[in-house]
C-alpha cells in the first residue's frame, strides 16, 4: 500500500517567521512544489509550527495555490495552528483560490475555504469520521444507491474534499478507497 | 483659474474631519485652481491620519504646478510641532510654502524612534525594486511594544500585521505612480485608541481595477463606483485576476473584530465602515459611501482602533 501522507514544516520554507505578500508567497510556492513533485504521497500535512504571522496574500500564493493545482489528485491540510486571526487570513486565501482546506487539531477538524455543496455534505461528514471509506460503505450507511454514493464521493475528490486511491479490495478486485485529508 | 482656501476645524482634526471640510468646496475643481491655501487655526490639532493625507494632497497639488501654502496659525507651538515630530516636513514637497517656515531640523530627525507610540512617517516608494521585506514585521512589533497586557497584544497582533502587510503591498502593486506613499501610526493613550494610516498618490483602487473589470469580472461591468467598493471589501476584487484580491476584505474583517472604523478615501468617493447593529461579514458593521468634491489622487486608508473593546 502506498504511503498516505508526508508532513511539511512550512516555517522551513520561509525566510522569517512572518509571511508577507505575493512575492514571498510565490517564492515559497516554488519550494513547496519541488517537495511535492519529489514525493509519491497522496496527502500532505503542512505544519504551521513556529509560523507567527501571515497576511492573506502570502498563503494564497503559496499553500492555497498549490492546493488548487493538485485539487482532485493530492490533498493538503494544515496542522499546528490555533490563532483564529491567522485562520481568518487562511480562510480568505482559500476562498480566493476556490479550495477547501482542513485545519486539524488532533482528531478535531475545522474546514475553511469553499464550503461543500448541500447534496454531498452528509457523505463528506461520514467520510471524515473514518480514515478511509468505500462507495459500498457509504451506500450502506446512508442508504444511497451504489452509483449515487460513488458519484458523490468522486465529486468530493474533484472538489478537493477527499482523495482517493485504487487498491485491491478484500474480494481480490480493485476498488477505490476514499481518504479524508488529514 | 482661482484659489481654493480652506480653514480647518478648531479642534482635533481626524481624516474624517479633514474630508468633511474639504468636501465643502464645490465651486472650483483642483484642475481649475491655481493656488491652494489651507489654514490650521489656533486649537486646530491635526491627528496622524489627517496629517498624512494632507501631506499627500499638498504634494500632489505642488506636483501639478499649483501654488500651495499651509498656514499654522498657532505658529511653531501646537500642531506645527506635532507635524515636525512625525516627519510631515521631511516629506513635504519643497515648493510648498509653510507658515511658519519649515524647521531646519525636524522633530522626527531629532527624536526618531524614541517614542514607541509614534511611528514617524515612513515613505513607501512604489518604484523601488528593493523593498524592505521586514517592514510589516517591524511596524507590528513597534505598535505592539506600546501594550503591556499580553491578551491585548495577542488580539492586536494579526490584525495589525494584516493591515500593514496588505496595504503596503497595495502601494507597490497597484498605485501605478512615481509618487511616494506614506505610512504612520499614533497611539492616543488618553483617547484609548490607535490610528494607523496609509496614503498613496496613485491612480486609486477603482481606477486601477476598472480597466480589468470586463476581463475578470464581466458581471460587474455596469456596477457603480459605490457598488464596486462594497464588493471590494465584502468579496475582494483585483486587477490581477479573480483568484487574487483578498487584502481589503481581510483588513475590513479584522477591523470589525475590533469594533474599529475603517476609512478609505479614493479620488471620487469615501468608504467608511463603522461598527453598528447590522451585520457585514458576520460582524456588526455599517458601510457608507460618500462622493468627494475634490478628486485628490490615490488611496488613503485609516484604521481607527478603540483599545478597550
Amino acid at each position: 500500500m502506498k504511503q498516505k501522507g508526508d508532513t511539511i514544516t512550512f516555517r522551513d520554507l520561509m525566510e522569517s517567521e512572518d509571511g508577507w505578500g505575493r512575492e514571498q508567497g510565490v517564492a515559497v510556492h516554488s519550494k513547496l512544489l519541488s517537495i511535492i513533485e519529489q514525493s509519491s504521497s497522496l496527502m500532505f500535512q503542512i505544519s504551521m509550527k513556529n509560523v507567527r504571522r501571515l497576511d492573506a496574500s502570502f498563503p494564497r500564493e503559496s499553500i492555497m495555490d498549490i492546493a488548487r493545482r493538485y485539487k482532485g489528485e493530492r490533498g493538503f491540510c494544515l496542522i499546528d495552528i490555533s490563532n483564529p486571526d491567522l485562520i481568518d487570513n487562511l480562510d480568505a486565501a482559500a476562498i480566493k483560490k476556490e479550495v477547501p482546506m482542513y485545519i486539524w487539531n488532533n482528531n478535531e477538524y475545522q474546514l475553511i475555504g469553499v464550503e461543500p455543496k448541500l447534496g454531498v455534505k452528509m457523505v463528506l461528514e461520514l467520510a471524515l469520521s473514518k480514515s478511509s471509506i468505500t462507495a459500498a460503505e457509504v451506500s450502506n450507511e446512508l442508504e444511497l444507491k451504489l452509483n449515487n454514493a460513488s458519484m458523490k464521493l468522486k465529486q468530493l475528490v474533484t472538489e478537493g474534499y477527499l482523495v482517493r486511491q485504487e487498491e485491491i479490495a478484500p474480494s481480490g478486485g480493485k476498488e477505490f478507497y476514499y481518504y479524508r485529508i488529514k | 483659474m482661482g484659489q481654493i482656501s480652506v480653514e480647518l476645524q478648531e479642534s482635533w482634526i481626524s481624516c474624517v474631519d479633514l474630508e468633511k471640510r474639504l468636501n465643502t468646496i464645490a465651486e472650483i475643481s483642483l484642475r481649475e485652481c491655481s493656488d491652494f491655501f489651507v489654514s490650521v487655526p489656533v486649537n486646530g490639532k491635526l491627528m496622524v491620519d489627517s496629517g498624512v493625507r494632507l501631506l499627500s494632497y499638498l504634494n500632489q497639488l505642488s506636483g501639478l504646478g499649483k501654488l500651495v501654502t499651509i498656514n499654522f496659525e498657532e505658529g511653531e507651538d501646537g500642531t506645527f510641532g506635532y507635524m515636525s515630530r512625525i516627519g510631515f516636513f521631511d516629506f513635504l514637497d519643497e515648493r510648498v510654502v509653510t507658515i511658519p517656515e519649515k524647521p531646519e531640523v525636524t522633530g522626527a530627525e531629532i527624536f526618531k524612534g524614541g517614542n514607541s507610540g509614534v511611528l514617524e512617517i515612513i515613505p513607501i516608494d512604489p518604484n523601488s525594486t528593493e523593498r524592505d521585506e521586514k517592514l510589516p514585521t517591524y511596524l507590528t512589533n513597534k505598535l505592539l511594544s506600546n501594550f503591556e497586557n499580553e491578551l491585548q497584544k495577542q488580539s492586536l497582533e494579526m490584525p495589525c500585521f494584516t493591515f500593514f502587510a496588505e496595504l503596503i503591498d497595495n502601494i507597490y502593486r497597484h498605485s501605478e505612480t512615481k509618487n511616494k506613499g506614506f505610512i504612520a501610526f499614533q497611539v492616543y493613550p488618553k483617547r484609548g485608541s490607535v490610528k494607523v494610516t496609509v496614503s498613496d498618490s496613485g491612480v486609486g483602487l477603482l481606477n486601477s481595477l476598472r480597466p480589468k473589470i470586463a476581463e475578470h469580472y464581466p458581471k460587474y461591468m455596469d456596477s457603480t463606483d459605490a457598488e464596486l467598493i462594497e464588493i471590494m471589501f465584502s468579496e475582494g476584487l483585483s486587477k490581477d485576476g479573480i483568484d487574487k484580491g483578498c487584502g481589503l476584505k481581510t483588513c475590513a474583517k479584522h477591523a470589525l473584530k475590533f469594533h474599529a472604523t475603517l476609512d478609505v478615501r479614493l479620488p471620487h468617493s469615501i468608504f467608511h465602515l463603522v461598527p453598528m447593529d447590522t451585520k457585514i461579514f458576520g460582524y456588526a458593521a455599517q458601510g457608507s459611501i460618500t462622493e468627494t468634491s475634490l478628486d485628490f489622487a490615490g488611496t488613503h486608508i485609516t484604521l481607527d482602533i478603540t483599545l478597550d473593546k
Side-chain angles (χ1 to χ4, degrees):
Chain A
M1 193 175 287
K2 267 191 191 172
Q3 182 188 3
K4 293 297 180 299
D6 282 353
T7 300
I8 298 172
T9 304
F10 197 64
R11 176 65 183 90
D12 291 346
L13 311 180
M14 296 167 64
E15 295 295 316
S16 77
E17 60 185 358
D18 294 344
W20 173 31
R22 204 182 292 183
E23 271 86 13
Q24 289 185 12
V26 167
V28 167
H29 181 284
S30 302
K31 296 177 188 176
L32 263 176
L33 192 60
S34 175
I35 292 170
I36 293 158
E37 288 291 302
Q38 289 173 50
S39 168
S40 58
S41 287
L42 193 57
M43 284 186 281
F44 297 85
Q45 280 187 338
I46 300 177
S47 168
M48 305 300 275
K49 196 173 177 190
N50 297 324
V51 172
R52 187 165 178 189
R53 306 155 184 156
L54 304 174
D55 63 1
S57 304
F58 179 91
R60 186 191 68 215
E61 297 303 321
S62 53
I63 302 167
M64 304 308 171
D65 194 72
I66 287 281
R68 183 174 73 166
R69 183 190 179 110
Y70 288 99
K71 194 164 70 169
E73 300 166 25
R74 296 163 116 173
F76 301 86
C77 66
L78 303 173
I79 60 172
D80 301 324
I81 318 171
S82 56
N83 185 331
D85 295 325
L86 177 52
I87 292 172
D88 273 343
N89 286 359
L90 291 164
D91 181 41
I95 289 171
K96 265 297 154 181
K97 289 293 179 179
E98 296 180 318
V99 295
M101 180 64 62
Y102 297 98
I103 298 174
W104 287 96
N105 191 354
N106 296 320
N107 288 318
E108 305 268 326
Y109 70 87
Q110 181 179 352
L111 179 60
I112 60 172
V114 178
E115 292 275 328
K117 295 183 180 59
L118 204 55
V120 293
K121 265 190 172 174
M122 281 181 63
V123 173
L124 178 60
E125 278 169 20
L126 178 62
L128 288 173
S129 68
K130 302 168 190 289
S131 55
S132 70
I133 203 164
T134 62
E137 287 166 347
V138 170
S139 170
N140 282 339
E141 293 218 32
L142 297 181
E143 296 179 353
L144 298 174
K145 287 200 159 65
L146 182 62
N147 59 358
N148 190 8
S150 182
M151 186 189 68
K152 288 183 192 295
L153 283 166
K154 191 178 173 202
Q155 183 182 339
L156 286 167
V157 170
T158 306
E159 292 174 358
Y161 295 96
L162 299 172
V163 288
R164 73 176 188 177
Q165 187 166 264
E166 201 172 31
E167 295 168 20
I168 309 290
S171 60
K174 283 192 177 176
E175 189 173 17
F176 276 115
Y177 282 77
Y178 295 83
Y179 294 89
R180 63 187 178 187
I181 303 170
K182 188 180 180 205
Chain B
M1 299 276 257
Q3 183 191 67
I4 291 178
S5 182
V6 184
E7 174 147 333
L8 300 181
Q9 296 89 336
E10 293 177 26
S11 61
W12 287 99
I13 305 166
S14 68
C15 64
V16 173
D17 300 313
L18 173 67
E19 301 297 350
K20 270 192 191 146
R21 192 49 60 93
L22 291 174
N23 248 17
T24 60
I25 299 158
E27 64 279 6
I28 181 171
S29 71
L30 292 178
R31 194 174 50 247
E32 289 165 340
C33 86
S34 56
D35 51 299
F36 187 92
F37 186 97
V38 58
S39 185
V40 186
V42 174
N43 296 323
K45 298 177 182 44
L46 289 166
M47 301 183 90
V48 67
D49 49 350
S50 54
V52 168
R53 282 195 197 184
L54 210 45
L55 173 61
S56 287
Y57 299 165
L58 298 183
N59 283 355
Q60 287 176 32
L61 290 166
S62 192
L64 291 171
K66 316 293 181 186
L67 178 62
V68 182
T69 307
I70 179 165
N71 177 23
F72 295 90
E73 291 182 13
E74 209 165 343
E76 289 184 2
D77 297 328
T79 212
F80 180 95
Y82 178 65
M83 288 294 107
S84 174
R85 179 66 185 85
I86 66 170
F88 177 87
F89 298 110
D90 296 283
F91 301 107
L92 189 62
D93 189 299
E94 58 187 14
R95 293 165 291 187
V96 174
V97 174
T98 68
I99 303 167
E101 282 187 11
K102 281 181 265 194
E104 283 190 21
V105 181
T106 65
E109 287 176 281
I110 298 168
F111 298 110
K112 186 169 180 164
N115 180 347
S116 60
V118 177
L119 174 74
E120 295 85 4
I121 294 169
I122 290 181
I124 309 288
D125 184 352
N127 301 293
S128 173
T129 52
E130 287 196 23
R131 69 183 202 181
D132 179 357
E133 293 294 333
K134 293 198 184 342
L135 187 56
T137 296
Y138 165 74
L139 296 175
T140 305
N141 290 345
K142 186 172 166 86
L143 194 148
L144 292 179
S145 70
N146 284 278
F147 305 97
E148 288 178 1
N149 183 312
E150 281 305 317
L151 275 177
Q152 200 170 40
K153 265 183 161 158
Q154 279 171 31
S155 66
L156 281 169
E157 183 169 24
M158 274 297 306
C160 288
F161 179 81
T162 303
F163 194 77
F164 290 129
E166 297 290 356
L167 297 185
I168 295 171
D169 203 45
N170 274 357
I171 295 178
Y172 283 109
R173 230 165 237 302
H174 303 301
S175 60
E176 299 177 29
T177 178
K178 293 196 298 269
N179 298 328
K180 290 192 174 78
F182 304 107
I183 184 165
F185 72 70
Q186 175 74 57
V187 178
Y188 293 95
K190 285 183 189 170
R191 198 170 167 262
S193 71
V194 176
K195 278 182 182 282
V196 179
T197 192
V198 181
S199 174
D200 75 64
S201 292
V203 298
L205 286 172
L206 287 180
N207 291 334
S208 168
L209 176 67
R210 276 226 180 262
K212 294 290 185 176
I213 287 277
E215 181 184 341
H216 298 312
Y217 310 99
K219 62 181 174 175
Y220 297 136
M221 282 274 294
D222 297 324
S223 296
T224 62
D225 281 0
E227 287 164 342
L228 278 183
I229 290 171
E230 201 170 323
I231 298 163
M232 219 183 276
F233 281 93
S234 58
E235 293 174 23
L237 300 172
S238 173
K239 69 177 174 54
D240 297 323
I242 61 169
D243 61 339
K244 299 194 183 355
C246 46
L248 291 178
K249 178 184 167 184
T250 49
C251 285
K253 195 169 182 184
H254 285 303
L256 293 174
K257 273 193 250 179
F258 273 99
H259 298 267
T261 62
L262 187 66
D263 189 273
V264 182
R265 207 268 198 211
L266 301 175
H268 304 292
S269 44
I270 299 174
F271 176 69
H272 196 74
L273 198 63
V274 294
M276 292 283 282
D277 290 331
T278 52
K279 292 209 181 266
I280 295 181
F281 326 125
Y283 297 99
Q286 181 173 22
S288 66
I289 297 173
T290 52
E291 285 184 22
T292 58
S293 60
L294 296 177
D295 53 344
F296 286 107
T299 305
H300 313 271
I301 303 181
T302 294
L303 179 70
D304 195 335
I305 306 172
T306 302
L307 295 169
D308 60 357
K309 293 211 172 150

